[in-house]
Amino acid sequence: MLKGLNSIEDIIDTLKKYGEKIALQIKGDTGFHSLSYLELNNRSFDVSSTLIKSGVEKGDRIAILSENRPEWAIAFFGIIFSGAIVVPLDIKLKEKELTYILNNCEAEYIFASARFIDLIKTLKTKIRMVISLDEKIGEDILSLKELKSVEGELKHRAIELNDTAVIIYTSGTTGNPKGVELTYQNLFFQISSFGKMLKYGAKDNFLSILPLNHAYELICGFLGPLHGGSSITYLRSLKPAEIISTMKQTQTTIMIVVPLILQMFYKNVMKEIEKSPIHIKKSFEMILVLSKYLGKWNTIRYLLFKKVHLGFGGRLRCFISGGAPLDPQIATNFQLMGIPVLQGYGLSETSPVTSANTFKENRPGSVGKPLPEVNVKISDEGEILIQGPHLMKGYFKDSALTQEAIRDGWFHTGDIGEIDKDGFLYIKGRLKNLIVTAGGKKIHPEEVEEEILKSPCIKEICVIGKPGRKGGEEVYAVVVPDYDYFKEKDEEGIKKLVEKEIKKYCSILADYKRIVDFEIWKGELPKTSTRKVKRKEILERIQQGQR
């Protein structure tokens, strides 16, 4: 049983407990660069001690602008040990957004990878100290390696559970990002819940591919695993072949993913099956049917689908999926192959997990049951409302927006959902994504997308509401074909086949939900750093004639 967390001292004890065991490593061109738990603890003390003696006060905001890497963790723990608040930044943000966030949180210190330092210097902010996570760059920039603590110096400050630990900036509806304040109580509650759900430990190896500036990866792929003594691996390249290769090398046991990653893995598995001789394909289909009757006997499933398991390294315990809807058939088939997909749900404002499937109770298509001590209800409009110890402290410096989001103790998510008789939560879509036809019919684009993505020849799709000729909106789609599927067909031939596939997979939907028109999108659809499709940007580009 993992020890609970209540203080900074508890975090320090956890890091010291696992000593020389690898805490974090990153795969580079010449192999793995690793950092032990003890090194992480000591180097974090170097950072916190330096920050304290340089004038950092408790509650000051300090930013991190870097890709996932072991040094990110040193900066993170160093900041919280000093009593300051971590502001993790998305590396894909542009100058305007970075300037806004840094000024909004009034950061005077920032840790950054070398490639971002020139950009930081051009921003009009209050930043007065930049600390490079790489080698020293010029006389005015400190390097992480230079930071040293001296015996007798103050190395950490005490915290209260209601103190803000992290401010995570998330996109705002008005254009400006919102700073979500998460407290130590929020983080400690999530870490405890995560541990009870997964029962992970020192034998587990996590592969981290999602950005650490998001609450999902910060809790489930970083703080949670470290609390249990697991090892975490980062990658410099996120090419599919590199991910699979690293899973094999590190014998990954748990991986935090978004549905697009799972879709890619699943399609790769099915492509291999399709390339097999006919008797292999038939055998696979028969064994998949047989697996439905094996209950919880995953050991037998491992033997039946050993080749699939070895393709992921041979020790994979589960995928944890969140951030967007997942096709239930993909989750079901992975489960039948002996690789559970534990889908969950939450938002940055709920730090982030609100509900999750578990090894014992896993219902594909749902996002599981609410965590213990968390309450979920559905409003008369179908909106999901949430209450519990994981709710954010509020939006930084915006009490009006906080009061709008949290009313009578309930957080209004903006998501539409249902709860079944057994208590499992189902996500139907976003209120703001809802398509309303001239006849008043309401359509969740996610439902239509889920059906179309079952086609093997469609790689990506985004369904949006386009202004209709009779008023209201029409169901319109932009489609990225899987060109490997078509081989040498011309563009016109591909479009005709895509149209045929859309009609086929829309046939089970009500007439008013079917796609009226579509277009082929060249290249990958624009996405956020957590791989969510940017619907608004796609609609704007279509209206402006850009593709």
Side-chain angles (χ1 to χ4, degrees), residues 450-501:
E450 185 179 297
E451 290 303 321
I452 305 300
L453 280 172
K454 291 176 181 176
S455 167
C457 74
I458 292 176
K459 192 173 185 179
E460 294 185 86
I461 185 169
C462 178
V463 173
I464 53 179
K466 197 175 180 185
R469 288 162 293 192
K470 300 179 181 179
E473 296 174 312
E474 292 180 342
V475 184
Y476 190 82
V478 291
V479 178
V480 178
D482 186 341
Y483 288 100
D484 291 340
Y485 184 89
F486 297 99
K487 296 191 170 32
E488 298 179 4
K489 292 185 174 62
D490 59 27
E491 288 295 320
E492 193 57 38
I494 288 173
K495 187 165 184 178
K496 284 181 180 178
L497 281 170
V498 168
E499 183 177 13
K500 187 177 178 182
E501 289 288 290

Side-chain angles (χ1 to χ4, degrees), residues 290-302 335-336 338 340 342 358-363 424:
L290 171 66
S291 183
K292 294 178 182 178
Y293 304 98
L294 290 176
K296 297 186 181 298
W297 292 358
N298 273 344
T299 304
I300 298 177
R301 288 193 177 94
Y302 179 89
Q335 180 96 3
L336 293 176
L342 306 181
T358 66
F359 289 115
K360 287 186 178 180
E361 294 187 295
N362 189 4
R363 190 165 293 183
F424 285 87

Side-chain angles (χ1 to χ4, degrees), residues 203-207 230 247 250-255 312 315-319:
K203 293 182 180 179
D204 280 304
N205 295 319
F206 283 70
L207 181 60
S230 306
M247 290 180 79
T250 62
Q251 293 196 302
T252 298
T253 59
I254 300 173
M255 189 172 175
F312 292 117
R315 288 189 62 222
L316 189 64
R317 289 176 56 205
C318 69
F319 288 115

Side-chain angles (χ1 to χ4, degrees), residues 134-289:
D134 296 288
E135 300 299 327
K136 188 171 178 65
I137 304 171
E139 291 303 315
D140 59 334
I141 304 294
L142 281 175
S143 167
L144 191 69
K145 291 180 180 179
E146 290 181 287
L147 308 189
K148 300 293 178 186
S149 59
V150 177
E151 193 65 37
E153 288 181 340
L154 182 61
K155 295 182 181 179
H156 65 87
R157 290 184 171 118
I159 54 97
E160 300 293 330
L161 290 178
N162 199 44
D163 286 344
T164 300
V166 183
I167 300 177
I168 292 178
Y169 278 84
T170 182
S171 299
T173 53
T174 59
N176 287 330
K178 301 173 290 185
V180 177
E181 289 192 72
L182 301 182
T183 66
Y184 284 95
Q185 178 176 299
N186 295 151
L187 301 187
F188 292 167
F189 171 79
Q190 288 283 359
I191 292 167
S192 173
S193 300
F194 185 68
K196 290 172 184 174
M197 181 181 80
L198 278 185
K199 293 182 172 56
Y200 57 87
K203 293 182 180 179
D204 280 304
N205 295 319
F206 283 70
L207 181 60
S208 174
I209 61 171
L210 302 179
L212 282 164
N213 63 286
H214 286 266
Y216 178 37
E217 186 67 21
L218 182 68
I219 295 291
C220 301
F222 178 64
L223 294 177
L226 289 179
H227 180 50
S230 306
S231 296
I232 304 169
T233 300
Y234 300 121
L235 294 172
R236 296 191 190 278
S237 165
L238 295 182
K239 293 179 179 177
E242 189 67 23
I243 293 173
I244 293 295
S245 169
T246 307
M247 290 180 79
K248 292 176 180 178
Q249 283 180 282
T250 62
Q251 293 196 302
T252 298
T253 59
I254 300 173
M255 189 172 175
I256 315 296
V257 295
V258 290
L260 277 175
I261 301 293
L262 278 180
Q263 289 166 15
M264 176 194 74
F265 284 159
Y266 184 73
K267 284 191 174 183
N268 286 346
V269 169
M270 299 314 292
K271 277 181 182 178
E272 288 300 311
I273 298 299
E274 283 299 316
K275 289 191 292 186
S276 303
I278 187 67
H279 70 280
I280 298 291
K281 285 195 282 188
K282 292 293 183 184
S283 296
F284 179 84
E285 291 167 4
M286 288 174 62
I287 295 170
L288 207 59
V289 172

Side-chain angles (χ1 to χ4, degrees), residues 60-62 100-109 126-127 169 396-397:
D60 285 352
R61 278 74 63 192
I62 300 179
Y100 173 82
I101 291 172
L102 291 171
N103 285 331
N104 181 255
C105 73
E106 299 174 330
E108 295 185 7
Y109 294 73
K126 295 179 180 178
I127 294 294
Y169 278 84
F396 185 64
K397 294 200 301 190

